[in-house]
Amino acid sequence: MSKVLIIGAGGVGGVVTHKCAQHPEVFSEIMLASRTEAKCQAIAGQLDRPIQTAQVDADNVEDLVALIESFKPDVLIHVALPYQDLTIMEACLRTGVPYLDTANYEHPDEAKFEYKEQWAFQDRYKDAGNMATLGCGFDPGMTNIYCAYAQKNLFDEIHRIDILDANGGDHGYPFATNFNPEINIREITAKGRYWEKGEWKETDPLAVKRQFDFDGIGEKDIYLLYHEEMESLCQNIKGLERIRFWMTFSDKYITHLKVLENVGMTSIEPIKVGDTEISPLEFLKAVLPDPASLGPRTKGKTNIGIIADGIKDGKRRKVHIYNICDHEQCYAEVKSQAISYTTGVPAVTGAMLMLEGIWKGAGVFNVEQLDPDPFMARIGEMGLPWQVVELDPDHDPLA
Ligand code: NDP
C-alpha cells in the first residue's frame, strides 16, 4: 500500500495514471501533477477510482519540494519532459523520495541529450540512501532490460546488439509525431551515431538505411539513429563490440521532414517574428497534431526489441527479443496509442518493483544495472508480453 506521485499529464502520463489505477493493491493513493491541472483532471475523469490532481512547475525545485512534502509519496514517476530531469531529481533527493524517469536529461537550449548530469547525482543519492532509476520506458527501458536479460540468461558474452524500433501504425494524418514533436524531431534530425570497439562513429542524419521484416508488421525501411540507451549499454554489457539503434520511418514521413528542415522549421534557434522571439521547432510543435490526440485514430502495431549476437557454451548464438503492441487495443484499455503505452507500462512496472523492494539500492541506476528477471516475469501480465526468437547466427538480417 503506497503513494505514487506522477509528474506530467501528456500521452505517457495518461497511460501511467491508468496503469497505476488498475493496481490499487500496490498504488493505494495516486496524485497526478503537471503544468496544466486541467489535463490532470481530464485523465482523472477517465478512471474508475478517485485520484488527486495538482498544478506544479517542474522546472522549479521549491515548487516540487512543497508538493512532495504535502503529498508524501513513496515513489515519484517523472513523465513530464526531459528538461525537468535535474530539477525533479534534486527535489526527490531533498525529500528522500525514490525517483524514476523514462528519458535522459536534455538541455532546453541545446539539441543534446546525455546521462552525464544525471549520473553526477550518483554520490549524493548513494550518501542519502535514496534510489533513482533512469530510463524506464520502452527505449530506453524495456530494450535495456532485454539486453540485461540476454546477458544474464541467454549468453556468456554478447558481442553485438542492434535495437530495432518499428511502428507500423497509421493515424491517417499526412504528418504527425507519436510523442512530443520537439523531442522527436530533434532526435531524428541529429547526426546518426553508433558505438564500435570503444568508439562512437558518426553518420549523416538518416544516411544509413536497411530493410527488416518485422513479425506482426511486415517489411519496413529502418534508419540508423543515435539513441540514448546506447550510452549506458555500451558501458554495462560486458564484451560488447558494437551497438546500433534503428527506427522505421515511411517515405511520406521522411519527405515531410526534409521539407520542414529545408525551410528552417526544425531549427531550435529563436527567430524574431514582429516583436516576438520564437523557436521554429516550438512553433511547429504548436501547429502539429497533439500526440495525445492520435490515440483514437491509430491502427496497426509496433514491434520493438533487440537482436543480440554473441557466444553461449562456446557456440555463436543470435536472438531477437521483442514485444508486439497493438495501437487499437491500447486505446481500448487506457485511451492512448501504443507509443505512450509501451513507455508508460515499463515505468509503472519499474515503480512497482521499487516499492516492493525487489529493485533496490542506493544511487543512480540505469535499468540494465538492476535484476531483469523479476521485471521480465511481471511485464507480460502488465500488458507487454515478449518473445525470444532464435536467429541463424551466420545470417545478418541487417546486411
Ligand atoms: P507530452 O508532451 O505529451 O507530455 C509532457 C507533459 O509534461 C505535459 O503534460 C506537459 O504539460 C508536462 N510538462 C511540461 N513541462 C512541464 C513543467 N515545467 N512542469 C510540469 N509539467 C510539465 O510528452 P509524452 O507524454 O509523449 O512524453 C513524456 C516523457 O516520456 C518525455 O520525457 C519523453 O521523452 C518520454 N518518452 C520516453 C519514451 C521511451 O520509450 N523511453 C518514449 C516516448 C516518450 P502541458 O500539458 O501543460 O504542456
Side-chain angles (χ1 to χ4, degrees):
M1 302 293 270
S2 308
K3 289 167 131 189
V4 58
L5 174 58
I6 303 159
I7 309 265
V12 180
V15 175
V16 168
T17 312
H18 272 267
K19 278 287 174 187
C20 288
Q22 286 175 12
H23 292 278
E25 73 288 359
V26 181
F27 304 103
S28 50
E29 273 184 64
I30 301 168
M31 176 182 273
L32 173 60
S34 194
R35 183 165 52 190
T36 316
E37 193 177 354
K39 292 198 185 175
C40 305
Q41 288 160 345
I43 294 168
Q46 299 166 357
L47 308 172
D48 49 20
R49 60 180 269 224
I51 66 161
Q52 296 181 54
T53 62
Q55 198 280 331
V56 71
D57 175 6
D59 290 319
N60 183 321
V61 177
E62 302 308 326
D63 219 22
L64 286 162
V65 167
L67 181 71
I68 293 172
E69 282 178 345
S70 70
F71 182 60
K72 302 197 179 355
D74 300 293
V75 69
L76 183 148
I77 303 178
H78 160 33
V79 280
L81 295 178
Y83 313 131
Q84 284 94 43
D85 287 5
L86 305 184
T87 44
I88 302 179
M89 285 183 82
E90 180 65 38
C92 282
L93 194 55
R94 286 201 206 164
T95 50
V97 173
Y99 166 95
L100 179 141
D101 70 24
T102 66
N104 69 5
Y105 176 63
E106 182 159 346
H107 195 283
D109 305 323
E110 296 167 34
K112 190 171 162 200
F113 46 93
E114 57 186 357
Y115 279 116
K116 193 171 78 190
E117 283 160 278
Q118 290 182 275
W119 286 341
F121 278 91
Q122 182 65 269
D123 289 346
R124 292 173 68 209
Y125 266 78
K126 250 190 195 154
D127 293 347
N130 197 2
M131 180 177 191
T133 301
L134 306 185
C136 196
F138 205 105
D139 45 339
M142 200 64 256
T143 50
N144 304 55
I145 295 167
Y146 288 161
C147 292
Y149 177 82
Q151 175 171 262
K152 184 173 172 190
N153 299 295
L154 308 178
F155 289 89
D156 297 322
E157 250 183 39
I158 299 178
H159 295 158
R160 291 175 169 208
I161 293 172
D162 283 292
I163 301 167
L164 294 106
D165 179 332
N167 183 5
D170 184 4
H171 44 61
Y173 285 118
F175 184 80
T177 62
N178 289 304
F179 63 97
N180 188 285
E182 206 181 319
I183 310 277
N184 192 205
I185 291 173
R186 277 193 197 193
E187 190 172 90
I188 296 160
T189 52
K191 290 221 174 210
R193 237 188 318 155
Y194 63 98
W195 184 88
E196 189 166 38
K197 296 199 171 24
E199 280 177 24
W200 289 103
K201 306 210 163 151
E202 212 167 67
T203 66
D204 282 335
L206 305 182
V208 183
K209 174 184 170 184
R210 299 279 189 275
Q211 264 95 37
F212 191 86
D213 194 4
F214 287 95
D215 186 12
I217 296 183
E219 192 157 274
K220 289 269 167 198
D221 289 339
I222 48 173
Y223 293 84
L224 188 144
L225 298 184
Y226 177 67
H227 219 246
E228 63 192 65
E229 62 265 52
M230 292 192 287
E231 189 185 356
S232 63
L233 284 168
C234 72
Q235 298 188 17
N236 292 327
I237 302 296
K238 61 171 190 264
L240 194 64
E241 291 168 6
R242 186 183 73 190
I243 181 162
R244 303 181 296 188
F245 181 94
W246 306 84
M247 193 179 267
T248 59
F249 300 105
S250 66
D251 285 347
K252 195 161 77 174
Y253 187 94
I254 303 276
T255 307
H256 276 82
L257 195 67
K258 285 214 167 110
V259 172
L260 291 168
E261 228 183 336
N262 287 343
V263 298
M265 281 307 296
T266 59
S267 165
I268 58 167
E269 281 305 315
I271 52 160
K272 233 173 163 222
V273 183
D275 293 335
T276 323
E277 286 236 319
I278 184 159
S279 127
L281 185 53
E282 257 178 59
F283 176 75
L284 179 62
K285 179 187 170 202
V287 293
L288 284 175
D290 177 358
S293 73
L294 301 179
R297 308 170 53 103
T298 309
K299 298 180 181 2
K301 296 185 170 85
T302 60
N303 176 325
I304 318 175
I306 65 149
I307 293 179
D309 182 348
I311 303 286
K312 178 69 180 168
D313 298 331
K315 286 198 205 120
R316 290 254 335 267
R317 185 177 199 189
K318 194 184 274 191
V319 298
H320 188 188
I321 311 176
Y322 58 89
N323 159 262
I324 298 177
C325 194
D326 185 293
H327 286 286
E328 286 174 285
Q329 279 175 15
C330 296
Y331 192 77
E333 186 194 326
V334 299
K335 298 222 169 344
S336 171
Q337 33 77 0
I339 305 300
S340 304
Y341 189 90
T342 52
T343 309
V345 172
V348 174
T349 308
M352 269 181 171
L353 296 182
M354 287 166 78
L355 285 172
E356 291 168 5
I358 298 171
W359 272 5
K360 61 174 181 224
V364 174
F365 300 88
N366 288 90
V367 285
E368 71 271 19
Q369 295 173 295
L370 302 164
D371 187 356
D373 290 349
F375 195 98
M376 293 291 269
R378 179 100 42 113
I379 192 75
E381 73 202 35
M382 290 295 289
L384 297 175
W386 48 279
Q387 47 199 308
V388 179
V389 173
E390 293 288 339
L391 302 180
D392 174 359
D394 295 322
H395 172 68
D396 182 0
L398 294 164

